[in-house]
């Protein structure tokens, strides 16, 4: 029983360290600017105790990427319930995703900032996560009857366009009131327009192989 309690307390402290880092970054700091001492002070433990949970700050950053990836995948799971290529479903899918971004703001704020951040280890992990999402979406697109005229290379290009468009729109979705101009559409509506443009274009795309053969 004592061992179980210790394990639970260790897990709670580990999670507290992750939450503390997210909280500090929510105040405007990038991950590379957050210090080990700031994180442990936020949790209320001595700096030396940090090393019982992570060997260094980069390891904490990688754990954050893993946690954020789970959050992102849950959002994607909800979106997959809608057929993305159908006209009306794009609106529903973007709305679901935008609501999830707002609900888990700190997670997506970390992702939006650190995909171009100062920690190489964290940046590489986010890039790997992005590639995984692209691979997953490729498989989904290949099952769509509306896109059956495309080939493997086309699915890769299309999936990359969709995923990278979503990633680059994250800052606006996280802070919609800051980025929204009175005379323009909201960030969610702009993302919807971009995805519709990409997917409708894909329906009329002859394919990379057809274009290459034609050349």
């Amino acid at each position: 029983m004592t061992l179980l309690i210790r394990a639970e307390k260790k897990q709670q402290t580990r999670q507290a360290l992750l939450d503390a880092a997210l909280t500090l970054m929510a105040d405007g700091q990038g991950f590379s600017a957050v210090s080990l001492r700031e994180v442990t002070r936020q949790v209320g433990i001595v700096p030396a105790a940090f090393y019982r949970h992570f060997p260094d700050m980069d390891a904490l950053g990688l754990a954050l990427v893993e946690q954020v990836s789970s959050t992102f995948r849950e959002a994607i799971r909800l979106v997959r319930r809608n057929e993305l290529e159908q006209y009306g479903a794009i609106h529903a899918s973007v709305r679901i995703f935008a609501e999830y971004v707002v609900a888990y703001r700190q997670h997506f704020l970390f992702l939006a900032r650190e995909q171009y951040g100062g920690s190489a280890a964290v940046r590489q992990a986010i890039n790997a996560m992005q590639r995984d999402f692209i691979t997953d979406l490729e498989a989904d697109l290949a099952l769509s009857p509306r896109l059956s005229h495309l080939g493997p290379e086309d699915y890769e290009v299309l999936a990359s366009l969709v995923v990278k468009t979503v990633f680059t729109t994250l800052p606006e979705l996280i802070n919609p009131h800051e980025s929204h101009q009175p005379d323009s559409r909201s960030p969610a509506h702009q993302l919807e327009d971009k995805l519709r443009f990409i997917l409708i274009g894909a329906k009329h795309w002859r394919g990379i192989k057809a274009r290459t053969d034609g050349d």
Side-chain angles (χ1 to χ4, degrees), residues 9-103:
K9 287 190 69 175
K10 185 175 181 179
Q11 181 58 36
Q12 289 170 359
T13 303
R14 184 180 189 276
Q15 185 59 50
L17 290 166
L18 294 170
D19 293 341
L22 288 173
T23 299
L24 289 166
M25 285 184 284
D27 292 335
Q29 295 187 72
F31 177 74
S32 59
V34 175
S35 72
L36 185 154
R37 287 186 176 276
E38 285 179 299
V39 172
T40 53
R41 187 185 307 121
Q42 184 91 359
V43 175
I45 62 175
V46 297
F50 176 91
Y51 297 104
R52 298 173 189 166
H53 306 277
F54 302 102
D56 52 35
M57 282 295 290
D58 272 348
L60 183 146
L62 294 177
L64 278 175
V65 173
E66 185 177 343
Q67 192 172 82
V68 170
S69 177
S70 296
T71 302
F72 205 123
R73 285 189 181 280
E74 176 60 19
I76 297 299
R77 187 186 67 79
L78 294 174
V79 167
R80 274 177 174 166
R81 293 178 182 175
N82 296 280
E83 290 183 26
L84 196 59
E85 72 275 7
Q86 286 187 1
Y87 189 86
I90 295 176
H91 173 75
S93 298
V94 170
R95 177 182 56 79
I96 291 168
F97 184 73
E99 288 175 354
Y100 214 82
V101 168
V102 172

Side-chain angles (χ1 to χ4, degrees), residues 88-190:
I90 295 176
H91 173 75
S93 298
V94 170
R95 177 182 56 79
I96 291 168
F97 184 73
E99 288 175 354
Y100 214 82
V101 168
V102 172
Y104 293 88
R105 183 179 182 277
Q106 289 188 344
H107 281 188
F108 285 98
L109 183 61
F110 169 77
L111 184 58
R113 283 182 180 162
E114 299 311 316
Q115 61 181 318
Y116 309 113
S119 169
V122 171
R123 196 167 61 247
Q124 289 166 8
I126 292 174
N127 287 338
M129 180 182 74
Q130 191 178 99
R131 288 194 298 272
D132 287 342
F133 288 141
I134 289 171
T135 300
D136 289 347
L137 183 55
E138 279 182 60
D140 285 349
L141 293 171
L143 297 175
S144 170
R146 294 169 181 263
L147 300 173
S148 59
H149 62 290
L150 300 179
E153 291 179 325
D154 304 306
Y155 295 132
E156 181 181 357
V157 170
L158 181 54
S160 180
L161 274 172
V162 170
V163 171
K164 289 179 180 179
T165 297
V166 171
F167 268 69
T168 55
T169 310
L170 280 176
E172 288 79 19
L173 291 174
I174 292 164
N175 298 305
H177 300 298
E178 292 180 12
S179 58
H180 179 46
Q181 300 296 322
D183 58 345
S184 66
R185 288 166 66 78
S186 71
H189 282 126
Q190 290 179 40

